[in-house]
Amino acid sequence: MTTDTTTRLAIVETGTALRTKLFGSVAGHLVLGAITVFSLVPIIWMYVTALRPRDDALAQSVLPTGISLDNLRAASDLLPLGGLIGNTAVMAAAVAAFQLFSALLAAYAFGCWRFRGDRVLFLIFVATWLVPFQVTMLPNYVLLSDLGWLNTLTGVIVPQITAPFAVLLLRQHMRSFPRELLDAARMDGRSHWNTLWTVVVPSMRGPLAALAILLFVTAWNEYFWPLLVLSDPASVAQIGLRSLITEAGTDYGAMMAAAGALCLPILAVYLILQRQVVNAFVRSGLR
């Protein structure tokens, strides 16, 4: 085979590879675009319905015939939106903080310590993630009733202070943490507590921040447990929205306006910190 023939074959193969790569890239972007549009439709529909005139709330048109804030005014009359946002933020922040703290301690033990039965103990711990919530719901409810914590934010927060998912995610980072740094800290005479907060945590600010955001968003969106513990419509966002569904009927315009207003804080958090949310999975080792 001559040199010219070899060169032409190389050029053809390179062109084919480039076309294949370009086709795969275009197809991937089209699929992601379609998924994005599909995901955004409910959110867009919620805000479109919220901005419709009161008499046009159930219209099927994609765009409102007119822009009106009457639904938002009605929602503000029915619900204390500011109080709901504040209470929900406190609840979500407390749950996220407790879960992050407990997960950090457990992940450090499982990821950086070596002891007999550590793998078995970790598997048992993660297996609790597979236990359905309905199994522990009734015992937790009875315990809260005995403690007098029903209809309180404490009753919502305390049963959720641990998250096996958070432990699993942080353990993956701990397993990849350089052992040399831990050995150097031990030789320097530092305790495990001191090593955790002065060596490990500063090197994991990114994953910790990303996990905190995920835990906060999850706690904010939690519906069933707050609905079971709380009964005051002015407590948290989920209960407030539920109170708009009555036997007399549902004011869908006011409900969409209230839901849109209550979603704004969490949407803002996600839009501002979306890179950290993505990094929580990209760098977690769960590939």
Side-chain angles (χ1 to χ4, degrees), residues 182-206:
L182 299 177
D183 294 337
R186 186 175 65 253
M187 294 178 63
D188 195 38
R190 299 190 183 189
S191 63
H192 285 293
W193 182 261
N194 186 273
T195 300
L196 173 63
W197 294 106
T198 61
V199 177
V200 178
V201 171
S203 301
M204 296 182 58
R205 290 178 181 175

Side-chain angles (χ1 to χ4, degrees), residues 7-282:
T7 303
R8 285 196 296 270
L9 288 176
I11 293 174
V12 171
E13 292 177 356
T14 302
T16 303
L18 289 176
R19 286 193 295 271
T20 303
K21 183 177 181 181
L22 179 61
F23 176 78
S25 178
V26 172
H29 281 81
L30 288 176
V31 171
L32 290 176
I35 294 175
T36 300
V37 171
F38 183 78
S39 302
L40 289 176
V41 166
I43 300 176
I44 295 174
W45 188 263
M46 175 179 66
Y47 284 107
V48 168
T49 304
L51 294 176
R52 296 182 191 275
R54 294 279 291 164
D55 297 335
D56 198 28
L58 298 179
Q60 301 300 312
S61 60
V62 178
L63 298 176
T65 56
I67 303 299
S68 174
L69 298 179
D70 291 342
N71 289 320
L72 182 59
R73 297 189 187 98
S76 299
D77 294 337
L78 295 172
L79 296 174
L81 296 179
L84 292 178
I85 292 175
N87 290 340
T88 309
V90 170
M91 181 270 293
V95 170
F98 280 118
Q99 289 181 346
L100 188 65
F101 179 73
S102 61
L104 182 62
L105 299 182
Y108 178 72
F110 285 126
C112 299
W113 291 2
R114 297 293 181 270
F115 53 91
R116 180 175 298 179
D118 57 342
R119 292 180 180 271
V120 176
L121 184 60
F122 177 72
L123 290 176
I124 294 174
F125 186 87
V126 174
T128 61
W129 193 12
L130 306 178
V131 177
F133 171 74
Q134 290 76 8
V135 174
T136 60
M137 174 183 67
L138 185 58
N140 282 336
Y141 185 87
V142 173
L143 179 61
L144 293 181
S145 178
D146 293 339
L147 294 174
W149 286 356
L150 292 180
N151 296 316
T152 65
L153 290 181
T154 303
V156 178
I157 295 170
V158 171
Q160 302 184 79
I161 60 175
T162 60
F165 163 74
V167 176
L168 179 62
L169 195 66
L170 286 182
R171 178 181 177 268
Q172 298 303 115
H173 288 283
M174 297 288 187
R175 296 281 290 183
S176 61
F177 195 83
R179 297 292 303 179
E180 293 79 7
L181 294 178
L182 299 177
D183 294 337
R186 186 175 65 253
M187 294 178 63
D188 195 38
R190 299 190 183 189
S191 63
H192 285 293
W193 182 261
N194 186 273
T195 300
L196 173 63
W197 294 106
T198 61
V199 177
V200 178
V201 171
S203 301
M204 296 182 58
R205 290 178 181 175
L208 289 174
L211 180 59
I213 296 168
L214 289 175
L215 294 176
F216 181 83
V217 173
T218 302
W220 182 286
N221 293 331
E222 179 63 34
Y223 172 73
F224 190 74
W225 181 243
L227 180 65
L228 187 65
V229 176
L230 304 173
S231 58
D232 184 5
S235 53
V236 293
Q238 299 87 334
I239 312 303
L241 288 176
R242 176 64 180 81
S243 67
L244 296 179
I245 302 176
T246 63
E247 296 180 355
T250 302
D251 188 344
Y252 289 101
M255 174 175 285
M256 291 299 177
L262 295 172
C263 284
L264 287 177
I266 203 64
L267 287 176
V269 169
Y270 182 77
L271 289 175
I272 294 172
L273 302 173
Q274 58 181 317
R275 179 172 297 179
Q276 283 78 5
V277 175
V278 173
N279 288 342
F281 292 99
V282 173

